[in-house]
Amino acid sequence: MNVFLTGATGYIGSHVLPALSAAGHSVTALVRDPSRVRGGEARLVTGDMRDHDLVRGLAAEADAVIATATPGDASSADADRDFVGAVLAGLRPGATLVRTGGIWVHGSGADLTEETPLAPPALVAWREEIDSMALAAPGIRSLLVEPGVVYGHGAGIPGLIFAGAQVGEPAALQLIGPGSQHWATVHVDDLAELYVATLTAGSSGDRLLAVSGDSPSVASLGDVASRRLGLDGRVVAEDPADTVARLGGFGEALLMDQQASGEKARRVLDWKPSRPSLLEAFAAGEYDPA
């Protein structure tokens, strides 16, 4: 399949690209800096996801679009809205669009599924309108992958655990929030395989929670990180108000208590996440400071 990919130099997309290549797909990757592409084979096109005419033209050439890019700032909503509009204007009837959402839109819950009513924090409240528009687009096969907290290869949000302040005497590692909240997680290599499975076998209109079924508490992650840092497992909670004051809307999202199995993706796509859990990655030293 001829796939137009965005985000090939980002954390998720840089793993999706080689997974697509390994599966035999032909990839055209839109990147701002071709020198940052690592792994996989692709025709590289230099440009920006906000270039409407370029995006529309690349979509018109493709059998499928996989979108993993986002500015990650206050312009994200407008950039994603404009990108989706350009893709939908270019895709041929019957083509496929696989977009990247996120589990945060479902709010807190002990057993989140694709059917859980949306309750997004302010940081990602803009997603619902665009996700719904794309999933309902006529004439194409449109799907949404909603990753949990992505980890692997020492990168991603979990690194913030190790970066916590060391406070008190003897020193203890400060958690993100109270520590009682859980994060639904997925290894980036398992996630990349899910994108390939979604591309080849997903049904139009599907939302798929991309989580491995492992949802560790922040306190349990902090305990392992504290030991790796030589603090003997000592941790100290952070007042949620202080977390939000320190990290803003991002902190509000990290305070959500989310647990999910990701059962649907395994059932309908035969997805088999197999990489070590986040706790195992921590214990193995994958996130130790350099």
Side-chain angles (χ1 to χ4, degrees):
M1 196 178 296
N2 180 14
V3 180
F4 166 30
L5 172 69
T6 68
T9 60
Y11 183 33
I12 295 175
S14 64
H15 292 83
V16 173
L17 173 54
L20 287 169
S21 296
H25 297 288
S26 174
V27 182
T28 296
L30 177 64
V31 295
R32 285 180 291 182
D33 182 358
S35 69
R36 293 178 57 205
V37 176
R38 297 287 186 273
E41 297 181 2
R43 173 173 72 105
L44 303 181
V45 176
T46 303
D48 192 276
M49 66 177 288
R50 287 166 281 207
D51 186 332
H52 185 279
D53 290 341
L54 176 60
V55 168
R56 182 181 60 190
L58 292 174
E61 299 172 357
D63 301 311
V65 175
I66 296 181
T68 70
T70 179
D73 56 28
S75 70
S76 294
D78 289 339
D80 195 33
R81 185 180 296 106
D82 292 345
F83 174 80
V84 170
V87 167
L88 295 180
L91 280 178
R92 301 187 301 270
T96 297
L97 170 60
V98 179
R99 294 179 58 255
T100 304
I103 196 173
W104 285 345
V105 299
H106 293 280
S108 293
D111 186 19
L112 297 174
T113 73
E114 290 79 2
E115 306 307 317
T116 300
L118 302 184
L123 184 70
V124 293
W126 56 269
R127 287 190 178 278
E128 180 178 358
E129 173 200 350
I130 305 170
D131 291 346
S132 297
M133 175 185 71
L135 287 172
I140 66 166
R141 184 172 65 107
S142 182
L143 308 98
L144 180 67
V145 175
E146 299 181 305
V149 172
V150 185
Y151 70 94
H153 307 289
I157 288 172
L160 293 174
I161 300 287
F162 279 81
Q166 297 184 20
V167 298
E169 184 60 43
L173 181 65
Q174 181 175 274
L175 300 172
I176 297 171
S180 56
Q181 77 272 31
H182 296 77
W183 289 351
T185 62
V186 64
H187 193 285
V188 69
D189 291 331
D190 288 325
L191 177 59
E193 291 173 356
L194 178 58
Y195 277 93
V196 176
T198 301
L199 173 67
T200 56
S203 297
S204 186
D206 264 355
R207 325 175 63 109
L208 295 158
L209 289 187
V211 293
S212 66
D214 182 54
S215 302
S217 71
V218 169
S220 67
L221 294 169
D223 175 80
V224 178
S226 173
R227 296 180 191 282
R228 296 295 306 180
L229 292 167
L231 304 179
D232 296 325
R234 292 185 298 274
V235 297
V236 60
E238 180 178 42
D239 186 283
D242 292 338
T243 303
V244 174
R246 180 167 62 89
L247 297 174
F250 182 46
E252 181 185 3
L254 294 176
L255 290 171
M256 288 190 297
D257 186 14
Q258 294 192 309
Q259 299 180 66
S261 69
E263 181 273 338
K264 178 179 177 179
R266 282 188 285 275
R267 173 170 46 84
V268 304
L269 297 177
D270 197 30
W271 180 51
K272 295 181 175 68
S274 60
R275 273 68 176 190
S277 71
L278 179 53
L279 281 169
E280 290 170 337
F282 273 21
E286 192 173 315
Y287 281 82
D288 286 1

